[in-house]
mmCIF file of all heavy atoms in Angstrom:
data_model
loop_
_atom_site.group_PDB
_atom_site.id
_atom_site.type_symbol
_atom_site.label_atom_id
_atom_site.label_comp_id
_atom_site.label_asym_id
_atom_site.label_seq_id
_atom_site.Cartn_x
_atom_site.Cartn_y
_atom_site.Cartn_z
ATOM 1 N N GLY A 17 184.655 103.869 130.672
ATOM 2 C CA GLY A 17 184.787 104.212 129.241
ATOM 3 C C GLY A 17 184.352 105.614 128.966
ATOM 4 O O GLY A 17 184.567 106.509 129.662
ATOM 5 N N CYS A 18 183.509 105.747 127.864
ATOM 6 C CA CYS A 18 182.954 107.044 127.538
ATOM 7 C C CYS A 18 181.897 107.427 128.513
ATOM 8 O O CYS A 18 181.104 106.575 128.925
ATOM 9 C CB CYS A 18 182.431 106.951 126.133
ATOM 10 S SG CYS A 18 183.673 106.845 124.808
ATOM 11 N N ALA A 19 181.814 108.720 128.741
ATOM 12 C CA ALA A 19 180.915 109.285 129.832
ATOM 13 C C ALA A 19 179.416 108.889 129.573
ATOM 14 O O ALA A 19 178.702 108.435 130.448
ATOM 15 C CB ALA A 19 181.101 110.730 130.005
ATOM 16 N N PRO A 20 178.894 109.050 128.290
ATOM 17 C CA PRO A 20 177.494 108.760 128.051
ATOM 18 C C PRO A 20 177.084 107.313 128.270
ATOM 19 O O PRO A 20 175.916 106.989 128.542
ATOM 20 C CB PRO A 20 177.274 109.265 126.568
ATOM 21 C CG PRO A 20 178.462 110.169 126.330
ATOM 22 C CD PRO A 20 179.512 109.619 127.088
ATOM 23 N N CYS A 21 178.049 106.409 128.142
ATOM 24 C CA CYS A 21 177.710 104.951 128.060
ATOM 25 C C CYS A 21 178.317 104.295 129.289
ATOM 26 O O CYS A 21 178.489 103.000 129.163
ATOM 27 C CB CYS A 21 178.249 104.325 126.750
ATOM 28 S SG CYS A 21 177.469 105.042 125.275
ATOM 29 N N THR A 22 178.730 104.929 130.244
ATOM 30 C CA THR A 22 179.325 104.415 131.533
ATOM 31 C C THR A 22 178.495 104.849 132.714
ATOM 32 O O THR A 22 178.286 106.041 132.917
ATOM 33 C CB THR A 22 180.762 104.848 131.724
ATOM 34 O OG1 THR A 22 181.491 104.394 130.555
ATOM 35 C CG2 THR A 22 181.427 104.130 132.905
ATOM 36 N N SER A 23 178.106 103.828 133.559
ATOM 37 C CA SER A 23 177.334 104.092 134.769
ATOM 38 C C SER A 23 177.975 103.561 136.029
ATOM 39 O O SER A 23 178.857 102.567 135.792
ATOM 40 C CB SER A 23 175.930 103.711 134.581
ATOM 41 O OG SER A 23 175.844 102.283 134.352
ATOM 42 N N LYS A 24 177.532 103.854 137.148
ATOM 43 C CA LYS A 24 177.974 103.262 138.429
ATOM 44 C C LYS A 24 177.525 101.828 138.491
ATOM 45 O O LYS A 24 176.573 101.452 137.932
ATOM 46 C CB LYS A 24 177.573 104.019 139.618
ATOM 47 C CG LYS A 24 178.148 105.514 139.553
ATOM 48 C CD LYS A 24 177.636 106.228 140.848
ATOM 49 C CE LYS A 24 178.189 107.732 140.710
ATOM 50 N NZ LYS A 24 177.704 108.620 141.881
ATOM 51 N N VAL A 25 178.294 100.995 139.229
ATOM 52 C CA VAL A 25 177.968 99.591 139.398
ATOM 53 C C VAL A 25 177.589 99.404 140.899
ATOM 54 O O VAL A 25 178.162 99.866 141.791
ATOM 55 C CB VAL A 25 179.197 98.659 139.123
ATOM 56 C CG1 VAL A 25 178.889 97.303 139.469
ATOM 57 C CG2 VAL A 25 179.608 98.896 137.621
ATOM 58 N N ASP A 26 176.461 98.711 141.009
ATOM 59 C CA ASP A 26 175.939 98.475 142.388
ATOM 60 C C ASP A 26 176.678 97.320 143.005
ATOM 61 O O ASP A 26 177.268 96.480 142.341
ATOM 62 C CB ASP A 26 174.361 98.065 142.357
ATOM 63 C CG ASP A 26 173.549 99.277 141.844
ATOM 64 O OD1 ASP A 26 173.872 100.408 142.201
ATOM 65 O OD2 ASP A 26 172.592 99.055 141.166
ATOM 66 N N PRO A 27 176.689 97.209 144.263
ATOM 67 C CA PRO A 27 177.262 96.114 145.038
ATOM 68 C C PRO A 27 176.740 94.758 144.523
ATOM 69 O O PRO A 27 175.548 94.567 144.485
ATOM 70 C CB PRO A 27 177.003 96.367 146.549
ATOM 71 C CG PRO A 27 176.760 97.735 146.598
ATOM 72 C CD PRO A 27 176.122 98.212 145.366
ATOM 73 N N GLY A 28 177.733 93.884 144.265
ATOM 74 C CA GLY A 28 177.319 92.551 143.743
ATOM 75 C C GLY A 28 177.143 92.423 142.235
ATOM 76 O O GLY A 28 177.040 91.348 141.659
ATOM 77 N N GLU A 29 177.100 93.523 141.601
ATOM 78 C CA GLU A 29 177.042 93.516 140.082
ATOM 79 C C GLU A 29 178.347 93.189 139.502
ATOM 80 O O GLU A 29 179.352 93.489 140.084
ATOM 81 C CB GLU A 29 176.580 94.879 139.586
ATOM 82 C CG GLU A 29 175.111 95.089 139.538
ATOM 83 C CD GLU A 29 174.717 96.273 138.626
ATOM 84 O OE1 GLU A 29 175.142 97.412 138.902
ATOM 85 O OE2 GLU A 29 173.959 96.111 137.759
ATOM 86 N N ASP A 30 178.389 92.624 138.289
ATOM 87 C CA ASP A 30 179.658 92.413 137.495
ATOM 88 C C ASP A 30 180.208 93.769 137.238
ATOM 89 O O ASP A 30 179.540 94.762 137.060
ATOM 90 C CB ASP A 30 179.266 91.760 136.260
ATOM 91 C CG ASP A 30 180.502 91.464 135.319
ATOM 92 O OD1 ASP A 30 180.905 92.407 134.580
ATOM 93 O OD2 ASP A 30 181.121 90.403 135.575
ATOM 94 N N GLU A 31 181.583 93.852 137.291
ATOM 95 C CA GLU A 31 182.242 95.105 137.175
ATOM 96 C C GLU A 31 181.954 95.804 135.838
ATOM 97 O O GLU A 31 182.066 97.054 135.665
ATOM 98 C CB GLU A 31 183.704 95.024 137.448
ATOM 99 C CG GLU A 31 184.507 94.219 136.418
ATOM 100 C CD GLU A 31 185.965 94.315 136.690
ATOM 101 O OE1 GLU A 31 186.399 94.478 137.838
ATOM 102 O OE2 GLU A 31 186.706 94.166 135.763
ATOM 103 N N ARG A 32 181.588 95.053 134.757
ATOM 104 C CA ARG A 32 181.395 95.733 133.440
ATOM 105 C C ARG A 32 179.835 95.887 133.233
ATOM 106 O O ARG A 32 179.518 96.290 132.135
ATOM 107 C CB ARG A 32 181.939 94.768 132.374
ATOM 108 C CG ARG A 32 183.486 94.892 132.338
ATOM 109 C CD ARG A 32 184.083 94.010 131.245
ATOM 110 N NE ARG A 32 183.704 94.506 129.831
ATOM 111 C CZ ARG A 32 184.312 95.491 129.229
ATOM 112 N NH1 ARG A 32 185.304 96.235 129.879
ATOM 113 N NH2 ARG A 32 184.002 95.877 128.082
ATOM 114 N N ALA A 33 179.047 95.710 134.281
ATOM 115 C CA ALA A 33 177.648 95.984 134.200
ATOM 116 C C ALA A 33 177.317 97.421 133.838
ATOM 117 O O ALA A 33 176.340 97.683 133.314
ATOM 118 C CB ALA A 33 176.944 95.569 135.476
ATOM 119 N N GLY A 34 178.247 98.325 134.216
ATOM 120 C CA GLY A 34 177.977 99.717 134.014
ATOM 121 C C GLY A 34 178.378 100.266 132.639
ATOM 122 O O GLY A 34 178.244 101.358 132.311
ATOM 123 N N ARG A 35 178.838 99.328 131.777
ATOM 124 C CA ARG A 35 179.232 99.652 130.295
ATOM 125 C C ARG A 35 178.032 99.376 129.507
ATOM 126 O O ARG A 35 177.494 98.242 129.367
ATOM 127 C CB ARG A 35 180.436 99.012 129.921
ATOM 128 C CG ARG A 35 181.663 99.155 130.782
ATOM 129 C CD ARG A 35 182.264 100.561 130.676
ATOM 130 N NE ARG A 35 182.741 100.813 129.356
ATOM 131 C CZ ARG A 35 184.003 100.450 129.005
ATOM 132 N NH1 ARG A 35 184.803 99.926 129.845
ATOM 133 N NH2 ARG A 35 184.375 100.763 127.788
ATOM 134 N N TRP A 36 177.514 100.313 128.741
ATOM 135 C CA TRP A 36 176.395 100.223 127.780
ATOM 136 C C TRP A 36 175.163 99.662 128.509
ATOM 137 O O TRP A 36 174.470 98.715 127.923
ATOM 138 C CB TRP A 36 176.763 99.366 126.587
ATOM 139 C CG TRP A 36 178.077 99.937 125.939
ATOM 140 C CD1 TRP A 36 178.146 101.035 125.146
ATOM 141 C CD2 TRP A 36 179.393 99.380 125.882
ATOM 142 N NE1 TRP A 36 179.390 101.186 124.724
ATOM 143 C CE2 TRP A 36 180.202 100.220 125.184
ATOM 144 C CE3 TRP A 36 179.902 98.282 126.515
ATOM 145 C CZ2 TRP A 36 181.582 99.985 124.979
ATOM 146 C CZ3 TRP A 36 181.232 98.060 126.494
ATOM 147 C CH2 TRP A 36 182.078 98.923 125.610
ATOM 148 N N ARG A 37 174.876 100.035 129.686
ATOM 149 C CA ARG A 37 173.760 99.560 130.389
ATOM 150 C C ARG A 37 172.464 99.793 129.598
ATOM 151 O O ARG A 37 172.211 100.887 129.067
ATOM 152 C CB ARG A 37 173.611 100.258 131.742
ATOM 153 C CG ARG A 37 172.657 99.606 132.721
ATOM 154 C CD ARG A 37 172.541 100.417 133.990
ATOM 155 N NE ARG A 37 173.837 100.325 134.779
ATOM 156 C CZ ARG A 37 174.058 99.380 135.608
ATOM 157 N NH1 ARG A 37 173.352 98.289 135.768
ATOM 158 N NH2 ARG A 37 175.284 99.335 136.399
ATOM 159 N N GLY A 38 171.708 98.677 129.497
ATOM 160 C CA GLY A 38 170.522 98.760 128.717
ATOM 161 C C GLY A 38 170.648 98.293 127.287
ATOM 162 O O GLY A 38 169.638 98.132 126.498
ATOM 163 N N PHE A 39 171.948 98.084 126.782
ATOM 164 C CA PHE A 39 172.139 97.697 125.397
ATOM 165 C C PHE A 39 172.640 96.244 125.455
ATOM 166 O O PHE A 39 173.259 95.773 126.430
ATOM 167 C CB PHE A 39 173.211 98.606 124.761
ATOM 168 C CG PHE A 39 172.753 99.979 124.410
ATOM 169 C CD1 PHE A 39 172.897 101.024 125.328
ATOM 170 C CD2 PHE A 39 172.293 100.281 123.214
ATOM 171 C CE1 PHE A 39 172.541 102.268 125.053
ATOM 172 C CE2 PHE A 39 171.869 101.525 122.893
ATOM 173 C CZ PHE A 39 172.022 102.572 123.761
ATOM 174 N N ASP A 40 172.345 95.559 124.399
ATOM 175 C CA ASP A 40 172.822 94.203 124.164
ATOM 176 C C ASP A 40 174.347 94.393 123.638
ATOM 177 O O ASP A 40 174.613 93.995 122.543
ATOM 178 C CB ASP A 40 171.958 93.395 123.192
ATOM 179 C CG ASP A 40 172.484 92.023 122.954
ATOM 180 O OD1 ASP A 40 173.274 91.551 123.838
ATOM 181 O OD2 ASP A 40 172.196 91.469 121.822
ATOM 182 N N LYS A 41 175.220 94.751 124.474
ATOM 183 C CA LYS A 41 176.532 95.096 124.059
ATOM 184 C C LYS A 41 177.473 94.973 125.191
ATOM 185 O O LYS A 41 177.195 95.514 126.228
ATOM 186 C CB LYS A 41 176.534 96.589 123.517
ATOM 187 C CG LYS A 41 177.844 97.183 123.004
ATOM 188 C CD LYS A 41 177.639 98.521 122.501
ATOM 189 C CE LYS A 41 178.930 99.141 122.112
ATOM 190 N NZ LYS A 41 179.576 98.552 120.952
ATOM 191 N N VAL A 42 178.608 94.331 125.075
ATOM 192 C CA VAL A 42 179.569 94.095 126.102
ATOM 193 C C VAL A 42 181.010 94.539 125.731
ATOM 194 O O VAL A 42 181.875 94.472 126.542
ATOM 195 C CB VAL A 42 179.624 92.703 126.577
ATOM 196 C CG1 VAL A 42 178.230 92.292 127.297
ATOM 197 C CG2 VAL A 42 179.967 91.749 125.557
ATOM 198 N N GLU A 43 181.164 94.864 124.509
ATOM 199 C CA GLU A 43 182.579 95.258 123.999
ATOM 200 C C GLU A 43 182.368 96.475 123.044
ATOM 201 O O GLU A 43 181.327 96.606 122.345
ATOM 202 C CB GLU A 43 183.253 94.204 123.160
ATOM 203 C CG GLU A 43 183.622 93.046 124.001
ATOM 204 C CD GLU A 43 184.966 93.200 124.854
ATOM 205 O OE1 GLU A 43 185.442 94.306 124.703
ATOM 206 O OE2 GLU A 43 185.346 92.331 125.482
ATOM 207 N N CYS A 44 183.360 97.280 123.012
ATOM 208 C CA CYS A 44 183.269 98.525 122.148
ATOM 209 C C CYS A 44 183.556 98.273 120.677
ATOM 210 O O CYS A 44 183.043 99.058 119.801
ATOM 211 C CB CYS A 44 184.256 99.660 122.619
ATOM 212 S SG CYS A 44 185.992 99.111 122.413
ATOM 213 N N GLY A 45 183.988 97.067 120.353
ATOM 214 C CA GLY A 45 184.284 96.834 118.950
ATOM 215 C C GLY A 45 185.786 96.650 118.587
ATOM 216 O O GLY A 45 186.162 96.188 117.515
ATOM 217 N N ILE A 46 186.712 97.122 119.404
ATOM 218 C CA ILE A 46 188.061 97.099 119.098
ATOM 219 C C ILE A 46 188.687 95.703 119.321
ATOM 220 O O ILE A 46 189.737 95.360 118.927
ATOM 221 C CB ILE A 46 188.982 98.100 119.920
ATOM 222 C CG1 ILE A 46 189.054 97.898 121.291
ATOM 223 C CG2 ILE A 46 188.528 99.523 119.564
ATOM 224 C CD1 ILE A 46 189.961 98.750 122.076
ATOM 225 N N HIS A 47 187.928 94.854 120.113
ATOM 226 C CA HIS A 47 188.216 93.388 120.294
ATOM 227 C C HIS A 47 187.300 92.621 119.529
ATOM 228 O O HIS A 47 186.053 92.672 119.746
ATOM 229 C CB HIS A 47 188.235 93.106 121.768
ATOM 230 C CG HIS A 47 189.196 93.887 122.588
ATOM 231 N ND1 HIS A 47 190.464 93.839 122.471
ATOM 232 C CD2 HIS A 47 188.939 94.822 123.610
ATOM 233 C CE1 HIS A 47 191.054 94.698 123.250
ATOM 234 N NE2 HIS A 47 190.208 95.310 124.027
ATOM 235 N N PHE A 48 187.776 91.844 118.595
ATOM 236 C CA PHE A 48 186.952 91.130 117.699
ATOM 237 C C PHE A 48 187.095 89.657 117.834
ATOM 238 O O PHE A 48 188.132 89.134 118.202
ATOM 239 C CB PHE A 48 187.238 91.444 116.247
ATOM 240 C CG PHE A 48 186.763 92.842 115.847
ATOM 241 C CD1 PHE A 48 187.502 93.981 116.087
ATOM 242 C CD2 PHE A 48 185.418 93.003 115.345
ATOM 243 C CE1 PHE A 48 186.975 95.236 115.688
ATOM 244 C CE2 PHE A 48 184.962 94.242 115.024
ATOM 245 C CZ PHE A 48 185.770 95.398 115.155
ATOM 246 N N GLU A 49 186.050 88.784 117.401
ATOM 247 C CA GLU A 49 186.098 87.338 117.218
ATOM 248 C C GLU A 49 185.662 87.187 115.826
ATOM 249 O O GLU A 49 184.551 87.544 115.475
ATOM 250 C CB GLU A 49 185.309 86.576 118.246
ATOM 251 C CG GLU A 49 185.828 86.613 119.658
ATOM 252 C CD GLU A 49 185.047 85.663 120.568
ATOM 253 O OE1 GLU A 49 184.032 85.175 120.120
ATOM 254 O OE2 GLU A 49 185.547 85.494 121.715
ATOM 255 N N ASN A 50 186.460 86.642 115.056
ATOM 256 C CA ASN A 50 186.152 86.276 113.615
ATOM 257 C C ASN A 50 185.638 87.619 112.917
ATOM 258 O O ASN A 50 184.767 87.502 112.030
ATOM 259 C CB ASN A 50 185.110 85.251 113.521
ATOM 260 C CG ASN A 50 185.532 83.986 114.198
ATOM 261 O OD1 ASN A 50 186.704 83.530 113.977
ATOM 262 N ND2 ASN A 50 184.655 83.279 114.934
ATOM 263 N N GLY A 51 186.333 88.725 113.187
ATOM 264 C CA GLY A 51 185.973 89.875 112.495
ATOM 265 C C GLY A 51 184.730 90.622 112.922
ATOM 266 O O GLY A 51 184.355 91.562 112.276
ATOM 267 N N ARG A 52 184.083 90.170 114.055
ATOM 268 C CA ARG A 52 182.852 90.775 114.442
ATOM 269 C C ARG A 52 182.979 91.160 115.930
ATOM 270 O O ARG A 52 183.637 90.582 116.738
ATOM 271 C CB ARG A 52 181.800 89.820 114.286
ATOM 272 C CG ARG A 52 181.592 89.234 112.872
ATOM 273 C CD ARG A 52 180.565 88.185 112.721
ATOM 274 N NE ARG A 52 179.186 88.804 112.750
ATOM 275 C CZ ARG A 52 178.042 87.982 112.598
ATOM 276 N NH1 ARG A 52 178.134 86.738 112.443
ATOM 277 N NH2 ARG A 52 176.972 88.666 112.650
ATOM 278 N N ALA A 53 182.288 92.225 116.259
ATOM 279 C CA ALA A 53 182.230 92.723 117.669
ATOM 280 C C ALA A 53 181.711 91.673 118.543
ATOM 281 O O ALA A 53 180.748 90.986 118.226
ATOM 282 C CB ALA A 53 181.433 94.037 117.765
ATOM 283 N N VAL A 54 182.261 91.516 119.695
ATOM 284 C CA VAL A 54 181.921 90.485 120.635
ATOM 285 C C VAL A 54 180.586 90.749 121.289
ATOM 286 O O VAL A 54 180.321 91.913 121.643
ATOM 287 C CB VAL A 54 182.973 90.270 121.710
ATOM 288 C CG1 VAL A 54 182.546 89.215 122.791
ATOM 289 C CG2 VAL A 54 184.227 89.882 121.064
#
């Protein structure tokens, strides 16, 4: 994704573990459930 919020993934990690590492966040917000970011 964006450079500041994307990091490399270690072997055995989930492939999206490198997105927003350290944040309680797994989606950027363009995909919603009931109008809210997942």
